[in-house]
Amino acid sequence: MSECSVLAPAKLNLFLAAASPGSDGFHPLLTVFQAVGLWERVTLRQVDRPGVTVQVVGQDASLVPLDGANLAVRAVWILAGRLGLMPAVEMLIEKSVPVAAGLAGGSADAAAALVAANQLWQGGLNNAQLNSLATHIGSDVNFCLSGGLAVGRGRGQLLEPIEPVLGPLHWVLLTRPGLGLSTKKVFVELDRIRPEPVLDLPPLPVGLLEALRFGPVAKVGPYLANDLAAVVLQARPEVGRCLELAGQFGALGAVVTGSGPTLAVLASGPDQAHQLAGMFEAADPAVKALVVAGPVSGPLAGAQ
Ligand code: C5P
């Protein structure tokens, strides 16, 4: 095999509680992830020249680093190190997920790159082995490898799948091109605005798990929550305005995903999702609305 292409999905956080950072500087999290049908594609091609060269096209391509700061590049080097070989590959990243949007686009690229490189080099690593490498790349890479719907703990890398009986959830993602937020800065600001350290995480609302598993969809809405939203709404007040509009427009709920600024708006079905997308774009010219559904699977190897 001289070339391999893999698709990996974006994620939403339907619930996110963050405690104050531990000795490693990371914030212990309790979160619910859902993979949604917005896909990154990473293609690796074997070449003669040693090293990893990168080309990025698509959404926010100019904002994506081409060096070791790129999580997909790190993924390839880490996998090569694990397999004891010197990479000689060209990487093409075709982006659909906006950068610095709270949607884990960079982590999806890393997950896709791990799977693609493992195939290209016939590394034979299983999921558990890929997961142990993913942990060293970024907090969301493990979830991007697994996809679906899951509770995340630790930094977000300790996953417990949730098996939904309910059909897909339909979302409108209110993204803000060019107005991304740094995850690190959002966490630092969270610590600054908290009156005192938060040592304990709350329990996961049982009602949320039941609603996600069995429905009805309308019951999910009231449980959507994110501790990082306070920081995001401070930095991007327009997101707060859209949160209010979501109620007025008849959405089932809305939540800032990850470190934002994307607002995920829950719709009753695909028709309402498209209708809401038009309404938000008309109300806020800085919004680019994307209609997606989830959960979807993790990386799809061999995708053309
Ligand atoms: O792991 P990842 O590279 O996605 O995290 C980016 C930054 O966000 C980290 O360097 C850290 O500052 C912050 N972070 C955190 N607690 C987490 C996840 C991320 O403080 N659970």
Side-chain angles (χ1 to χ4, degrees), residues 25-27 29 138-139 155 183-184 187:
F26 280 83
H27 295 69
L29 300 182
S139 306
R155 298 175 183 184
T183 302
K184 190 183 173 85
F187 273 108

Side-chain angles (χ1 to χ4, degrees), residues 188-230:
V188 167
E189 183 61 10
L190 176 71
D191 297 336
R192 203 187 64 76
I193 64 171
R194 279 182 156 165
E196 50 195 55
V198 175
L199 302 178
D200 297 315
L201 289 165
L204 193 62
V206 176
L208 173 61
L209 288 181
E210 280 180 6
L212 284 172
R213 290 205 61 210
F214 305 115
V217 178
K219 283 205 172 160
V220 174
Y223 289 107
L224 300 172
N226 182 350
D227 280 352
L228 300 176

Side-chain angles (χ1 to χ4, degrees), residues 90-109:
E90 281 175 1
M91 180 189 297
L92 172 65
I93 303 178
E94 294 169 81
K95 295 197 64 65
S96 302
V97 181
V99 167
L103 294 166
S107 300
D109 295 343

Side-chain angles (χ1 to χ4, degrees), residues 60-76:
D60 291 344
S62 64
L63 303 179
V64 178
L66 302 177
D67 56 13
N70 184 311
L71 297 186
V73 173
R74 277 178 58 193
V76 169

